[in-house]
Amino acid sequence: MKMSTVNGNVKVIMKEIDFSGTILVKQHDQLLQQFSYGYANRTHEVLNNAQTRFGIASGCKLFTAIAICQLVEKGQLSFETKLTEMLTGPFPYFDPTITIHHLLTHTAGIPDYFDEEIMDDFEELWIKKPMYLMRRLRDFLPLFQNEPMKLPVGERFHYNNAGYILLGLVVETISKMEFADYIAEHIFRKAGNTHSGYFELDALPVNTAIGYIDAADGNWRANSYSLPVKGGSDGGAFVTVEDMSRVWNALMNFKLLSEPCTKRLLKPYINTDGDYNRFYGYGIWIDQMNDEITKYHVMGYDPGVSFHSAYYPKNQVETVVCSNKSDGAFRVFKVLEQTILND
């Protein structure tokens, strides 16, 4: 790969947008590039580094999907299992035909606690429901469980955080473990991750980046009061760029799931947002051109968090871009991708 071109272009963009975070590019498990810029802690001027843990917001829906697939492999449920068979609710207005597959592919049609089609300010959620109370998956249920269906089951793709909360509760119900503990034991440990976890914002471990929200006038604030105090099955894990790379490696080399189940997870099930080249599998976005898959990717955005990571099957390249600012990861990611796809 022409990493000298990437280096120059990435540095230009990073300077232009005042990027804060860490990036990684690997091919065939060989490190091609790694940069860190900005502060993990602005108050104490602690710099981001290769081992800094970053929040990745919805980027960890992939972990939830892998967990569900592991339980399917064990015969403890199927993709056709009905939600009503796994959780007692109550969900008075939910369609009883909703399956695990519908939830994984965002086609269940259920209401969302943060509907990205009609809402754009995540912080507004915590005015009536204090964010410091959101420490367990079941704490989210009152935000959506008594609302009417948004769409008929299976009608179309509707990105849905609530659906992944329900999937996390299914994991807890079957495994008899807290969701975060299940992911730590059955995904992070198997992938060789040593720094990742679902950490509470009021008890962050050492070398974890604080997320920052920048105002137009140059002022800034931490995102401590903008997010649930602990992330869950719809988003909110913290990872290093190297740990995210290990997840890609473990997934693509069938260390987390068998080959047949991995292919099931990576299958493009549903077209998204009218983009004829973009699909969704189980917890993962999939781009394809002329029936050839060009990219598997995950992404996440929260106040003070922006994240993009991808695996390109043609040349087996992995990219990870983590930032502790509300934006910036996408532009850096696109510069990397342009070189990768043109290589």
Side-chain angles (χ1 to χ4, degrees):
M1 290 182 62
K2 303 170 185 176
M3 291 312 299
S4 59
T5 302
V6 174
N7 293 351
N9 293 342
V10 167
K11 288 179 179 179
V12 168
I13 291 295
M14 284 180 166
K15 184 175 181 180
E16 179 182 325
I17 66 176
D18 190 26
F19 178 77
S20 179
T22 298
I23 72 167
L24 173 146
V25 181
K26 276 190 172 184
Q27 184 176 35
H28 305 300
D29 206 32
Q30 177 185 359
L31 181 64
L32 299 182
Q33 195 59 68
Q34 191 164 306
F35 289 126
S36 293
Y37 283 89
Y39 291 108
N41 186 311
R42 294 182 184 181
T43 301
H44 298 291
E45 297 186 346
V46 177
L47 293 169
N48 287 316
N49 59 69
Q51 297 304 314
T52 299
R53 313 172 224 238
F54 294 90
I56 63 171
S58 289
C60 54
K61 283 184 172 67
L62 175 62
F63 307 155
T64 304
I66 292 171
I68 289 290
C69 288
Q70 288 176 339
L71 297 176
V72 170
E73 281 198 313
K74 294 177 182 178
Q76 295 177 299
L77 80 164
S78 76
F79 298 116
E80 291 71 41
T81 297
K82 303 288 194 302
L83 175 63
T84 53
E85 298 174 45
M86 302 307 306
L87 302 179
T88 56
F91 306 104
Y93 304 110
F94 284 18
D95 190 314
T97 66
I98 293 170
T99 66
I100 297 299
H101 171 84
H102 290 132
L103 294 170
L104 285 167
T105 56
H106 300 285
T107 58
I110 65 171
D112 201 358
Y113 73 88
F114 181 72
D115 191 334
E116 298 183 15
E117 293 185 347
I118 60 175
M119 303 169 69
D120 57 13
D121 188 354
F122 194 59
E123 293 180 282
E124 289 183 1
L125 285 172
W126 318 122
I127 295 174
K128 294 183 178 180
K129 183 77 170 179
M131 48 69 61
Y132 55 80
L133 298 178
M134 312 301 287
R135 296 179 186 269
R136 301 166 300 178
L137 296 183
R138 56 184 175 273
D139 294 334
F140 289 84
L141 290 177
L143 297 178
F144 66 88
Q145 69 183 144
N146 295 308
E147 298 298 321
M149 293 285 290
K150 177 180 173 109
L151 297 163
V153 177
E155 180 177 87
R156 66 173 175 87
F157 177 88
H158 167 237
Y159 190 80
N160 195 294
N161 295 287
Y164 271 70
I165 291 290
L166 296 175
L167 289 169
L169 287 168
V170 169
V171 172
E172 290 188 342
T173 298
I174 294 175
S175 69
K176 309 301 182 186
M177 298 174 67
E178 289 289 329
F179 176 79
D181 295 336
Y182 180 93
I183 299 300
E185 180 174 338
H186 295 279
I187 296 179
F188 293 159
R189 185 176 61 81
K190 287 186 176 182
N193 291 8
T194 56
H195 298 90
S196 300
Y198 290 81
F199 309 128
E200 294 179 316
L201 294 181
D202 53 6
L204 291 176
V206 66
N207 209 4
T208 301
I210 295 172
Y212 291 102
I213 303 166
D214 292 303
D217 62 5
N219 290 317
W220 53 265
R221 58 190 170 91
N223 66 353
S224 307
Y225 298 105
S226 306
L227 304 175
V229 70
K230 184 176 182 179
S233 49
D234 64 329
F238 289 82
V239 305
T240 67
V241 290
E242 183 64 41
D243 275 357
M244 190 64 215
S245 173
R246 290 190 182 102
V247 170
W248 284 119
N249 183 278
L251 179 64
M252 296 303 173
N253 286 285
F254 316 122
K255 297 177 182 178
L256 300 176
L257 298 166
S258 67
E259 183 171 355
C261 203
T262 300
K263 290 180 177 178
R264 186 82 183 257
L265 180 141
L266 297 175
K267 183 178 178 179
Y269 290 104
I270 186 77
N271 184 249
T272 66
D273 305 324
D275 184 338
Y276 296 108
N277 296 319
R278 179 156 295 175
F279 294 80
Y280 203 81
Y282 287 164
I284 193 167
W285 302 84
I286 302 167
D287 286 11
Q288 66 178 33
M289 186 71 66
N290 300 323
D291 296 325
E292 179 183 1
I293 292 174
T294 58
K295 175 174 65 172
Y296 299 105
H297 56 120
V298 291
M299 66 187 84
Y301 285 91
D302 273 336
V305 176
S306 57
F307 166 77
H308 274 265
S309 184
Y311 177 84
Y312 302 87
K314 181 178 179 180
N315 48 18
Q316 298 180 47
V317 171
E318 306 160 11
T319 64
V320 186
V321 182
C322 293
S323 176
N324 59 327
K325 294 175 65 173
S326 298
D327 55 30
F330 179 72
R331 291 188 64 184
V332 173
F333 176 80
K334 293 307 289 184
V335 171
L336 296 172
E337 181 169 90
Q338 287 169 8
T339 300
I340 290 166
L341 294 181
N342 292 330
D343 186 53

